[in-house]
Amino acid sequence: MLAVAVLAAGKGTRMKSDLPKVLQPLAGATLVERVLASCSSLAPQRQLLIVGHQAERVEQSLAGHSGLEFVLQQPQNGTGHAVQQLLEPLADFEGDLLVLNGDVPLLREETITALLEQHRSSGAAVTLLTARLENPTGYGRVFADGQGNVSAIVEHRDCSEAQRTNNLTNAGIYCFNWRQLAAVLPKLKTDNDQGELYLTDTVAMLQPAMHLEVADADEINGINDRFQLSQCEAVIQDRLRRHWMAEGVTFVDPESCTLSDGTRFGRDVVVEPQCHFRGDTSVGDGCRIGPGSLLDNACVGERVEIVYSVVRDASVASDCAIGPYAQLRPGAELAEGCRVGNFVEIKKSRLGRGSKVNHLSYIGDAELGEQVNVGAGTITANYDGVNKHRTVIGAGSKTGANSVLVAPINLGANVTVGAGSTLTKDVPAGSLALGRAKQLVKENWQTPQA
C-alpha cells in the first residue's frame, strides 16, 4: 500500500504574488500539478494534498484530479506540523508514505520509483532523497556513512561552520513506513532557530534510515522566488527540446523556443527561431514553423508552413501555408491546401480545400467552400452590435478587393463579387454581384482656397 502526501500549504512570500506558490505556472502547468504528475505512475492508493494559504483556491484549481484528498494545515508551523495533520486521515492506513514538496517540480518519475523501490527492498523505516550541490547554502545537510545509513539531518540555519562544509543535501523528499512515522510524529519539538516542527527531526528517531543520492541535482531544485522559477523553466525547456530533437525535430535556435508538456511533433519538423508552443499543440510530419510564430492548442497537419503568425485554438490541415503576420483565432478550421497570407485574421470559420485568403482580410463566423479566393481587404461584417451572424460562400467563388459581406448572407457557388462591393443580400450561384456607388467625376476640379 502506498500513500502520497504533497506539502502545499505555504504562502510563498518571496514570490511577491497574489497566487499561492504551488499555483505558479511552469511550462504550461502549475507547480503542484507537475508534482502530482511525477508520481502518477505509482498508482498510490491514497493521494493527500496538505493545504493552508488560500486553501480554497488551491482546491478549486485541482478540482479535476479525482481521488485527491485535501488536508488543512492551520496555522503553518513547519513540515513536521504539516505531516502531523495526516495522523487522523491515515489512522487506519498500513503501508508506505511518500512525502513530496509542492514547490519541487522537476523530479522525474523514474527517480521517485527508484526511491520507493530502495525503501522497500532495504526494509528502512525512512528513505530520503539526497543530492550533492556545489553551493548547498539554504539546504539541510545529510550526514550518512558509506553504506547509505543516515544518522542525522541538520537544517542549514542550525548547522555549525564545520557541518556546512558537507555538500550532501536533503531534497525534502521522503519515503516512510507510515506506522513507524506515526509513532514518532507526536514527539517533535520546536527547539530550533525557526521555532517550527521539522519533519527532518523524525529521521534521527527512525531506524534504519537510508538515503538515495540523485544523479541529476537539477531534479531537486526548489522554488522560492521568481529567479528560481525561471531556472526551473529553463531546465524543463531544455529537457523538452532535447526529447523532441531525439525524436527527429530540428530546432534552428533551440534556446529561443519554448514548449509545453502537451506539445507533440511528427518527424522532420523544422522549428525556426523565436517560436513558442503552448497547451496541447500537435504538429505533423514535415512542417516548417516560424520564425516568430506562436501555436497555442493548435492542431497542425503535415507539410504545413507557418511564418510570423499566431494559431490559437485552431486546426490547420495538411499542405497549408500560413503567414506572414496572420492570426488564426479560436474556432478557425482550414482544410487541405489552404493559403492564409499577410495580415489576415480568421475566427470561428471554416475554409474548404484549396481556398485562399491572401491579404488584409477578416473572416469571422463564416463557411467557405472549396477553391474560394478571397480578394485583398475582404471583410465579413459578422456583428450587428448585438449578435453575431454567419456568412456562407460557395465553392469556386471569388471576392474582389475591398469587398464587405454583411452577415447573415449566403453566396452560392461560383459567384464573383466585384471589387469595392458591399453586399447585404444573398447571391445565387453563378452570378456577378456588384454593390458599389456610381462613380462621379468632376473635370477641371480645383481645391477651394481657405
Side-chain angles (χ1 to χ4, degrees), residues 62-96:
L62 297 170
H65 289 253
S66 61
L68 190 59
E69 304 172 50
F70 296 94
V71 179
L72 183 64
Q73 181 193 10
Q74 200 67 263
Q76 290 88 56
N77 192 32
T79 54
H81 180 250
V83 179
Q84 282 180 345
Q85 310 313 303
L86 302 177
L87 288 169
E88 181 177 342
L90 293 181
D92 299 323
F93 180 74
E94 300 287 344
D96 297 310

mmCIF file of all heavy atoms in Angstrom, residues 62-96:
data_model
loop_
_atom_site.group_PDB
_atom_site.id
_atom_site.type_symbol
_atom_site.label_atom_id
_atom_site.label_comp_id
_atom_site.label_asym_id
_atom_site.label_seq_id
_atom_site.Cartn_x
_atom_site.Cartn_y
_atom_site.Cartn_z
ATOM 1 N N LEU A 62 -7.462 22.234 -8.520
ATOM 2 C CA LEU A 62 -7.225 20.804 -8.693
ATOM 3 C C LEU A 62 -8.517 19.995 -8.674
ATOM 4 O O LEU A 62 -8.500 18.784 -8.449
ATOM 5 C CB LEU A 62 -6.282 20.303 -7.596
ATOM 6 C CG LEU A 62 -4.877 20.910 -7.608
ATOM 7 C CD1 LEU A 62 -4.118 20.542 -6.347
ATOM 8 C CD2 LEU A 62 -4.109 20.457 -8.845
ATOM 9 N N ALA A 63 -9.619 20.669 -8.952
ATOM 10 C CA ALA A 63 -10.923 20.002 -8.882
ATOM 11 C C ALA A 63 -11.019 18.836 -9.864
ATOM 12 O O ALA A 63 -11.777 17.888 -9.640
ATOM 13 C CB ALA A 63 -12.038 21.017 -9.152
ATOM 14 N N GLY A 64 -10.262 18.890 -10.944
ATOM 15 C CA GLY A 64 -10.330 17.823 -11.940
ATOM 16 C C GLY A 64 -9.517 16.594 -11.614
ATOM 17 O O GLY A 64 -9.556 15.611 -12.353
ATOM 18 N N HIS A 65 -8.763 16.619 -10.506
ATOM 19 C CA HIS A 65 -7.938 15.475 -10.110
ATOM 20 C C HIS A 65 -8.757 14.557 -9.206
ATOM 21 O O HIS A 65 -8.956 14.841 -8.026
ATOM 22 C CB HIS A 65 -6.670 15.949 -9.386
ATOM 23 C CG HIS A 65 -5.686 16.612 -10.287
ATOM 24 N ND1 HIS A 65 -4.504 16.012 -10.671
ATOM 25 C CD2 HIS A 65 -5.700 17.823 -10.887
ATOM 26 C CE1 HIS A 65 -3.850 16.825 -11.477
ATOM 27 N NE2 HIS A 65 -4.545 17.933 -11.613
ATOM 28 N N SER A 66 -9.222 13.457 -9.755
ATOM 29 C CA SER A 66 -10.079 12.557 -8.978
ATOM 30 C C SER A 66 -9.276 11.834 -7.899
ATOM 31 O O SER A 66 -8.101 11.512 -8.092
ATOM 32 C CB SER A 66 -10.741 11.528 -9.905
ATOM 33 O OG SER A 66 -9.767 10.735 -10.545
ATOM 34 N N GLY A 67 -9.925 11.588 -6.773
ATOM 35 C CA GLY A 67 -9.310 10.836 -5.692
ATOM 36 C C GLY A 67 -8.348 11.625 -4.835
ATOM 37 O O GLY A 67 -7.730 11.066 -3.923
ATOM 38 N N LEU A 68 -8.196 12.914 -5.081
ATOM 39 C CA LEU A 68 -7.271 13.745 -4.309
ATOM 40 C C LEU A 68 -7.960 14.223 -3.034
ATOM 41 O O LEU A 68 -9.047 14.802 -3.071
ATOM 42 C CB LEU A 68 -6.825 14.936 -5.157
ATOM 43 C CG LEU A 68 -5.676 15.796 -4.625
ATOM 44 C CD1 LEU A 68 -4.418 14.968 -4.418
ATOM 45 C CD2 LEU A 68 -5.393 16.941 -5.606
ATOM 46 N N GLU A 69 -7.324 13.958 -1.889
ATOM 47 C CA GLU A 69 -7.865 14.364 -0.594
ATOM 48 C C GLU A 69 -7.129 15.615 -0.110
ATOM 49 O O GLU A 69 -5.908 15.703 -0.207
ATOM 50 C CB GLU A 69 -7.683 13.243 0.426
ATOM 51 C CG GLU A 69 -8.287 11.908 0.010
ATOM 52 C CD GLU A 69 -7.903 10.795 0.954
ATOM 53 O OE1 GLU A 69 -8.045 10.970 2.183
ATOM 54 O OE2 GLU A 69 -7.434 9.745 0.466
ATOM 55 N N PHE A 70 -7.871 16.573 0.416
ATOM 56 C CA PHE A 70 -7.281 17.813 0.896
ATOM 57 C C PHE A 70 -7.287 17.830 2.421
ATOM 58 O O PHE A 70 -8.308 17.549 3.054
ATOM 59 C CB PHE A 70 -8.042 19.020 0.350
ATOM 60 C CG PHE A 70 -7.965 19.132 -1.152
ATOM 61 C CD1 PHE A 70 -8.971 18.593 -1.954
ATOM 62 C CD2 PHE A 70 -6.885 19.744 -1.760
ATOM 63 C CE1 PHE A 70 -8.902 18.683 -3.332
ATOM 64 C CE2 PHE A 70 -6.807 19.843 -3.134
ATOM 65 C CZ PHE A 70 -7.808 19.307 -3.924
ATOM 66 N N VAL A 71 -6.130 18.146 2.983
ATOM 67 C CA VAL A 71 -5.957 18.177 4.437
ATOM 68 C C VAL A 71 -5.488 19.577 4.811
ATOM 69 O O VAL A 71 -4.492 20.071 4.274
ATOM 70 C CB VAL A 71 -4.928 17.132 4.892
ATOM 71 C CG1 VAL A 71 -4.734 17.202 6.402
ATOM 72 C CG2 VAL A 71 -5.355 15.735 4.458
ATOM 73 N N LEU A 72 -6.195 20.239 5.709
ATOM 74 C CA LEU A 72 -5.888 21.618 6.068
ATOM 75 C C LEU A 72 -4.837 21.681 7.178
ATOM 76 O O LEU A 72 -4.965 21.016 8.211
ATOM 77 C CB LEU A 72 -7.155 22.332 6.522
ATOM 78 C CG LEU A 72 -7.007 23.817 6.872
ATOM 79 C CD1 LEU A 72 -6.601 24.625 5.643
ATOM 80 C CD2 LEU A 72 -8.303 24.359 7.469
ATOM 81 N N GLN A 73 -3.805 22.491 6.957
ATOM 82 C CA GLN A 73 -2.804 22.798 7.982
ATOM 83 C C GLN A 73 -2.986 24.252 8.387
ATOM 84 O O GLN A 73 -2.689 25.162 7.617
ATOM 85 C CB GLN A 73 -1.377 22.574 7.457
ATOM 86 C CG GLN A 73 -0.310 22.877 8.519
ATOM 87 C CD GLN A 73 1.087 22.970 7.939
ATOM 88 O OE1 GLN A 73 1.263 22.999 6.714
ATOM 89 N NE2 GLN A 73 2.092 23.034 8.796
ATOM 90 N N GLN A 74 -3.439 24.461 9.593
ATOM 91 C CA GLN A 74 -3.701 25.834 10.049
ATOM 92 C C GLN A 74 -3.443 25.938 11.549
ATOM 93 O O GLN A 74 -4.123 25.263 12.330
ATOM 94 C CB GLN A 74 -5.152 26.205 9.738
ATOM 95 C CG GLN A 74 -5.431 27.687 9.713
ATOM 96 C CD GLN A 74 -4.733 28.379 8.547
ATOM 97 O OE1 GLN A 74 -3.652 28.933 8.720
ATOM 98 N NE2 GLN A 74 -5.332 28.333 7.373
ATOM 99 N N PRO A 75 -2.443 26.727 11.975
ATOM 100 C CA PRO A 75 -1.542 27.530 11.153
ATOM 101 C C PRO A 75 -0.444 26.653 10.546
ATOM 102 O O PRO A 75 -0.381 25.445 10.810
ATOM 103 C CB PRO A 75 -0.938 28.505 12.174
ATOM 104 C CG PRO A 75 -0.925 27.703 13.453
ATOM 105 C CD PRO A 75 -2.169 26.858 13.416
ATOM 106 N N GLN A 76 0.442 27.276 9.754
ATOM 107 C CA GLN A 76 1.567 26.550 9.174
ATOM 108 C C GLN A 76 2.769 26.688 10.118
ATOM 109 O O GLN A 76 3.328 27.769 10.268
ATOM 110 C CB GLN A 76 1.919 27.096 7.791
ATOM 111 C CG GLN A 76 0.880 26.776 6.726
ATOM 112 C CD GLN A 76 -0.230 27.820 6.633
ATOM 113 O OE1 GLN A 76 0.036 28.997 6.443
ATOM 114 N NE2 GLN A 76 -1.466 27.385 6.752
ATOM 115 N N ASN A 77 3.136 25.573 10.726
ATOM 116 C CA ASN A 77 4.207 25.602 11.718
ATOM 117 C C ASN A 77 5.293 24.578 11.392
ATOM 118 O O ASN A 77 5.755 23.843 12.260
ATOM 119 C CB ASN A 77 3.642 25.357 13.126
ATOM 120 C CG ASN A 77 4.662 25.656 14.209
ATOM 121 O OD1 ASN A 77 5.497 26.540 14.050
ATOM 122 N ND2 ASN A 77 4.601 24.909 15.308
ATOM 123 N N GLY A 78 5.656 24.523 10.099
ATOM 124 C CA GLY A 78 6.748 23.661 9.692
ATOM 125 C C GLY A 78 6.297 22.372 9.019
ATOM 126 O O GLY A 78 5.121 21.995 9.064
ATOM 127 N N THR A 79 7.268 21.675 8.427
ATOM 128 C CA THR A 79 6.969 20.448 7.687
ATOM 129 C C THR A 79 6.513 19.320 8.600
ATOM 130 O O THR A 79 5.652 18.515 8.216
ATOM 131 C CB THR A 79 8.212 20.011 6.901
ATOM 132 O OG1 THR A 79 9.333 19.906 7.801
ATOM 133 C CG2 THR A 79 8.561 21.019 5.810
ATOM 134 N N GLY A 80 7.088 19.267 9.807
ATOM 135 C CA GLY A 80 6.644 18.241 10.751
ATOM 136 C C GLY A 80 5.207 18.440 11.151
ATOM 137 O O GLY A 80 4.421 17.487 11.238
ATOM 138 N N HIS A 81 4.845 19.694 11.388
ATOM 139 C CA HIS A 81 3.465 20.019 11.730
ATOM 140 C C HIS A 81 2.528 19.672 10.579
ATOM 141 O O HIS A 81 1.406 19.177 10.793
ATOM 142 C CB HIS A 81 3.365 21.507 12.072
ATOM 143 C CG HIS A 81 1.990 21.948 12.447
ATOM 144 N ND1 HIS A 81 1.220 22.771 11.642
ATOM 145 C CD2 HIS A 81 1.227 21.682 13.537
ATOM 146 C CE1 HIS A 81 0.069 22.993 12.221
ATOM 147 N NE2 HIS A 81 0.041 22.351 13.383
ATOM 148 N N ALA A 82 2.986 19.896 9.347
ATOM 149 C CA ALA A 82 2.160 19.574 8.181
ATOM 150 C C ALA A 82 1.843 18.081 8.150
ATOM 151 O O ALA A 82 0.678 17.683 7.963
ATOM 152 C CB ALA A 82 2.881 19.994 6.905
ATOM 153 N N VAL A 83 2.864 17.240 8.328
ATOM 154 C CA VAL A 83 2.646 15.793 8.251
ATOM 155 C C VAL A 83 1.877 15.287 9.469
ATOM 156 O O VAL A 83 1.171 14.276 9.387
ATOM 157 C CB VAL A 83 3.989 15.060 8.065
ATOM 158 C CG1 VAL A 83 3.795 13.550 8.016
ATOM 159 C CG2 VAL A 83 4.661 15.529 6.766
ATOM 160 N N GLN A 84 1.962 15.997 10.583
ATOM 161 C CA GLN A 84 1.132 15.622 11.748
ATOM 162 C C GLN A 84 -0.363 15.672 11.410
ATOM 163 O O GLN A 84 -1.157 14.951 12.014
ATOM 164 C CB GLN A 84 1.423 16.545 12.922
ATOM 165 C CG GLN A 84 2.705 16.234 13.679
ATOM 166 C CD GLN A 84 2.938 17.201 14.833
ATOM 167 O OE1 GLN A 84 2.309 18.267 14.923
ATOM 168 N NE2 GLN A 84 3.844 16.835 15.744
ATOM 169 N N GLN A 85 -0.726 16.510 10.434
ATOM 170 C CA GLN A 85 -2.140 16.620 10.073
ATOM 171 C C GLN A 85 -2.671 15.347 9.408
ATOM 172 O O GLN A 85 -3.881 15.198 9.221
ATOM 173 C CB GLN A 85 -2.358 17.816 9.132
ATOM 174 C CG GLN A 85 -1.762 19.128 9.592
ATOM 175 C CD GLN A 85 -2.066 19.456 11.048
ATOM 176 O OE1 GLN A 85 -3.237 19.515 11.433
ATOM 177 N NE2 GLN A 85 -1.026 19.650 11.847
ATOM 178 N N LEU A 86 -1.751 14.436 9.061
ATOM 179 C CA LEU A 86 -2.166 13.176 8.439
ATOM 180 C C LEU A 86 -2.519 12.099 9.455
ATOM 181 O O LEU A 86 -3.019 11.036 9.079
ATOM 182 C CB LEU A 86 -1.052 12.656 7.525
ATOM 183 C CG LEU A 86 -0.588 13.574 6.395
ATOM 184 C CD1 LEU A 86 0.561 12.928 5.640
ATOM 185 C CD2 LEU A 86 -1.740 13.894 5.453
ATOM 186 N N LEU A 87 -2.234 12.347 10.709
ATOM 187 C CA LEU A 87 -2.461 11.311 11.720
ATOM 188 C C LEU A 87 -3.915 10.851 11.753
ATOM 189 O O LEU A 87 -4.187 9.649 11.892
ATOM 190 C CB LEU A 87 -2.026 11.825 13.098
ATOM 191 C CG LEU A 87 -0.514 11.951 13.298
ATOM 192 C CD1 LEU A 87 -0.189 12.707 14.582
ATOM 193 C CD2 LEU A 87 0.137 10.560 13.314
ATOM 194 N N GLU A 88 -4.834 11.779 11.602
ATOM 195 C CA GLU A 88 -6.247 11.384 11.625
ATOM 196 C C GLU A 88 -6.694 10.747 10.312
ATOM 197 O O GLU A 88 -7.260 9.643 10.314
ATOM 198 C CB GLU A 88 -7.125 12.589 11.965
ATOM 199 C CG GLU A 88 -8.602 12.236 12.040
ATOM 200 C CD GLU A 88 -9.467 13.409 12.459
ATOM 201 O OE1 GLU A 88 -8.918 14.385 13.008
ATOM 202 O OE2 GLU A 88 -10.693 13.350 12.240
ATOM 203 N N PRO A 89 -6.468 11.404 9.129
ATOM 204 C CA PRO A 89 -6.953 10.780 7.890
ATOM 205 C C PRO A 89 -6.285 9.453 7.561
ATOM 206 O O PRO A 89 -6.872 8.620 6.849
ATOM 207 C CB PRO A 89 -6.661 11.830 6.815
ATOM 208 C CG PRO A 89 -5.674 12.756 7.414
ATOM 209 C CD PRO A 89 -5.912 12.753 8.883
ATOM 210 N N LEU A 90 -5.056 9.220 8.056
ATOM 211 C CA LEU A 90 -4.367 7.959 7.789
ATOM 212 C C LEU A 90 -4.330 7.055 9.028
ATOM 213 O O LEU A 90 -3.471 6.181 9.135
ATOM 214 C CB LEU A 90 -2.940 8.226 7.303
ATOM 215 C CG LEU A 90 -2.790 8.903 5.931
ATOM 216 C CD1 LEU A 90 -1.316 9.076 5.572
ATOM 217 C CD2 LEU A 90 -3.512 8.109 4.839
ATOM 218 N N ALA A 91 -5.287 7.241 9.925
ATOM 219 C CA ALA A 91 -5.286 6.489 11.184
ATOM 220 C C ALA A 91 -5.324 4.985 10.952
ATOM 221 O O ALA A 91 -4.711 4.211 11.705
ATOM 222 C CB ALA A 91 -6.480 6.920 12.042
ATOM 223 N N ASP A 92 -6.004 4.537 9.909
ATOM 224 C CA ASP A 92 -6.141 3.102 9.652
ATOM 225 C C ASP A 92 -5.269 2.633 8.496
ATOM 226 O O ASP A 92 -5.401 1.488 8.047
ATOM 227 C CB ASP A 92 -7.608 2.765 9.340
ATOM 228 C CG ASP A 92 -8.531 3.102 10.502
ATOM 229 O OD1 ASP A 92 -8.099 2.908 11.658
ATOM 230 O OD2 ASP A 92 -9.662 3.565 10.246
ATOM 231 N N PHE A 93 -4.377 3.499 8.018
ATOM 232 C CA PHE A 93 -3.578 3.147 6.838
ATOM 233 C C PHE A 93 -2.399 2.260 7.216
ATOM 234 O O PHE A 93 -1.722 2.493 8.218
ATOM 235 C CB PHE A 93 -3.066 4.425 6.162
ATOM 236 C CG PHE A 93 -2.237 4.159 4.928
ATOM 237 C CD1 PHE A 93 -2.840 3.755 3.753
ATOM 238 C CD2 PHE A 93 -0.855 4.303 4.959
ATOM 239 C CE1 PHE A 93 -2.076 3.505 2.614
ATOM 240 C CE2 PHE A 93 -0.087 4.060 3.837
ATOM 241 C CZ PHE A 93 -0.699 3.656 2.658
ATOM 242 N N GLU A 94 -2.151 1.257 6.415
ATOM 243 C CA GLU A 94 -0.995 0.371 6.583
ATOM 244 C C GLU A 94 -0.209 0.404 5.274
ATOM 245 O O GLU A 94 -0.726 0.042 4.224
ATOM 246 C CB GLU A 94 -1.446 -1.064 6.878
ATOM 247 C CG GLU A 94 -2.283 -1.226 8.138
ATOM 248 C CD GLU A 94 -1.442 -1.096 9.402
ATOM 249 O OE1 GLU A 94 -0.206 -1.193 9.313
ATOM 250 O OE2 GLU A 94 -2.035 -0.883 10.482
ATOM 251 N N GLY A 95 1.052 0.836 5.370
ATOM 252 C CA GLY A 95 1.866 0.863 4.164
ATOM 253 C C GLY A 95 2.920 1.944 4.233
ATOM 254 O O GLY A 95 3.359 2.353 5.318
ATOM 255 N N ASP A 96 3.337 2.416 3.073
ATOM 256 C CA ASP A 96 4.385 3.428 2.978
ATOM 257 C C ASP A 96 3.780 4.789 2.649
ATOM 258 O O ASP A 96 2.782 4.886 1.920
ATOM 259 C CB ASP A 96 5.401 3.049 1.897
ATOM 260 C CG ASP A 96 6.127 1.753 2.229
ATOM 261 O OD1 ASP A 96 6.620 1.648 3.367
ATOM 262 O OD2 ASP A 96 6.192 0.866 1.358
#
